[in-house]
Amino acid sequence: MTFAILLAGSLPAPAQAQADASSCRDVTIPVQLAGLLPQIVHGRLCEPPGGARTVQVLVPGATYDSVYWDAAPDPETHSFRLAMNKAGYATLALDRLGTGASSKPPSALLTAFTEAGVVHQVIQAVRHGDVGSRFDKVILGGHSLGSAIAMLEAGTYHDVDGVLITGLAHHINPPGALIVLGSFIPVALDPVLSRLGLDPTYLTTQPGSRYAAFHAPGPEVPEMTAYDEATKDVVAPGELLDAAALGTVLPYSWRITVPVLVVLGGGDGGLCGPLATDCTSSAGLLQSEAPYYSAAARLRTYVLPGFGHSINYAPNAPDYHQAVTHWAGTMGLAG
C-alpha cells in the first residue's frame, strides 16, 4: 500500500509542454481468425525521436478504437500516445477487429478470448520486427474491454514484459453498470454508423449517452463529449459478455507473471462503490484488487480522482499518464 500512496501523491511535477516530435505511421498486421480467411489488424505506430527500447501495445475498449489513445482536442492533456512518446516510449495503438481500419468479420466470431488471440499474433509480429522497428520490451495496455483482452492475452501467452490495466476491476457496481449497458443499441439504429454497412448485430451507444456512460461525474466539457460521440465505434456482443463475466478473467489475471499497474477513475460508476471496488484512493484500489493477482505481478494501483470511466478524456489525465511512466520506470520497463 505504501507504494500506491507514494504513486498517488509524490510524483514530480509534469514537464512543460513540448512540440510533438514523434514519428507516426499506420501499420497493418495480418492475423488469423479461426474459420476465416486472414484478417487485418490496423495500428498506429508512433516513436519518439531516436526511437525507443520499449513499445506499448494499446487495446481500446468497447465502442472505442485506436483514437481513444490519441485524442485530438487538446492533445497535451488527453493524448496518452503523445505523453508516452514524450516519455521515451513507442506506442502501437490498435483497432480491435471489427473497429476502425481493421477487418470487420461477423460479430458472432468475436469474443474477448478471440481478440486476445489476435493481440497475441500482433505482439509476435512486433517481437519479430514485422512493424518495421524492433523493441527490447513490450508493455500491453488496455482500456475497459481492452483491459480484459490484455489480461487474457498476458495470462495465456506470457509474451509481454508489463501489463497496464485501465478502466477494469474484478468487482462491478450494478447500478452504475446498468447505465453503461443501457446505452447500447444495435449499430443499425445509429444514424451515422448504420451507413457503414456493418453486420447489424454489432452494438454502439445511443446518441447523446457518452457523457453519462463514460465521463460522469467529471466536468462535462462539450468539446470532449462531442469528440467522443463523433469518434465512437462498435463492439461485438460476445466481447461484452466476456468482459462482464469477470469470473472468466479472474484466473487469467492470477496467471500474469509480469508487473501490472491498474488505473481507475475515482468516479467510475460501473466499477466503484461501497460494495464493489474501492476507488477512494490508490491504496484502497490496491487492497481491492490485490487478491486477484499473484506476487509475481508486483501489483501497483493508481486512482485518478473526479472522473468516470474513460480517463483519457479527464481534465487531469496527465496525472495518470505520469503515473504510468513512473510505474514503468520503477519496474525496469523504461522506454
Side-chain angles (χ1 to χ4, degrees):
M1 290 188 188
T2 302
F3 185 97
I5 296 169
L6 289 174
L7 188 57
S10 302
L11 297 175
Q16 292 184 343
Q18 308 169 28
D20 183 4
S22 305
S23 172
C24 295
R25 63 184 185 276
D26 292 316
V27 298
T28 54
I29 301 169
V31 297
Q32 188 70 46
L33 193 62
L36 290 180
L37 293 173
Q39 307 288 296
I40 293 294
V41 171
H42 167 266
R44 182 76 169 163
L45 178 65
C46 295
E47 300 177 69
R53 293 176 51 247
T54 301
V55 62
Q56 299 185 14
V57 177
L58 304 171
V59 187
T63 73
Y64 286 97
D65 55 30
S66 57
V67 170
Y68 173 75
W69 301 103
D70 196 12
D74 190 8
E76 289 288 343
T77 299
H78 300 293
S79 174
F80 182 92
R81 186 279 304 170
L82 178 60
M84 295 304 109
N85 291 166
K86 286 186 174 182
Y89 297 88
T91 55
L92 177 59
L94 303 179
D95 294 329
R96 298 184 336 276
L97 285 185
T99 70
S102 292
S103 298
K104 298 176 174 58
S107 75
L109 297 176
L110 298 180
T111 68
F113 286 94
T114 59
E115 294 277 22
V118 166
V119 171
H120 169 61
Q121 295 174 62
V122 170
I123 290 170
Q124 291 307 298
V126 170
R127 292 282 193 191
H128 295 152
D130 295 344
V131 298
S133 298
R134 288 190 176 272
F135 303 98
D136 297 334
K137 295 181 179 179
V138 176
I139 296 173
L140 178 57
H143 170 65
S144 192
L145 165 63
S147 288
I149 293 168
M151 283 185 186
L152 293 169
E153 199 286 336
T156 300
Y157 300 104
H158 305 285
D159 57 356
V160 297
D161 301 286
V163 180
L164 169 65
I165 301 296
T166 73
L168 187 69
H170 286 85
H171 297 279
I172 291 176
N173 182 39
L178 287 175
I179 294 175
V180 178
L181 293 175
S183 71
F184 289 114
I185 58 172
V187 68
L189 299 181
D190 186 84
V192 176
L193 297 183
S194 61
R195 303 170 190 167
L196 299 180
L198 294 170
D199 173 353
T201 60
Y202 278 104
L203 303 174
T204 190
T205 52
Q206 55 186 319
S209 65
R210 303 295 281 191
Y211 171 75
F214 301 130
H215 299 212
E220 185 166 10
V221 180
E223 181 185 25
M224 287 309 302
T225 304
Y227 180 82
D228 197 1
E229 179 69 32
T231 59
K232 73 182 182 183
D233 213 302
V234 299
V235 63
E239 294 178 286
L240 289 178
L241 290 173
D242 281 352
L246 291 180
T248 65
V249 174
L250 168 58
Y252 291 89
S253 63
W254 185 261
R255 294 172 188 169
I256 297 173
T257 56
V258 294
V260 176
L261 174 65
V262 175
V263 182
L264 292 185
D268 191 331
L271 298 170
C272 304
L275 300 179
T277 307
D278 184 351
C279 303
T280 58
S281 66
S282 298
L285 177 58
L286 180 61
Q287 188 169 14
S288 287
E289 284 294 288
Y292 304 102
Y293 293 88
S294 73
R298 291 185 281 169
L299 180 65
R300 303 292 184 260
T301 56
Y302 183 80
V303 170
L304 184 71
F307 206 77
H309 189 61
S310 296
I311 51 178
N312 279 342
Y313 294 154
N316 54 344
D319 293 343
Y320 121 70
H321 299 162
Q322 191 182 11
V324 172
T325 59
H326 182 76
W327 161 76
T330 60
M331 292 293 136
L333 302 171

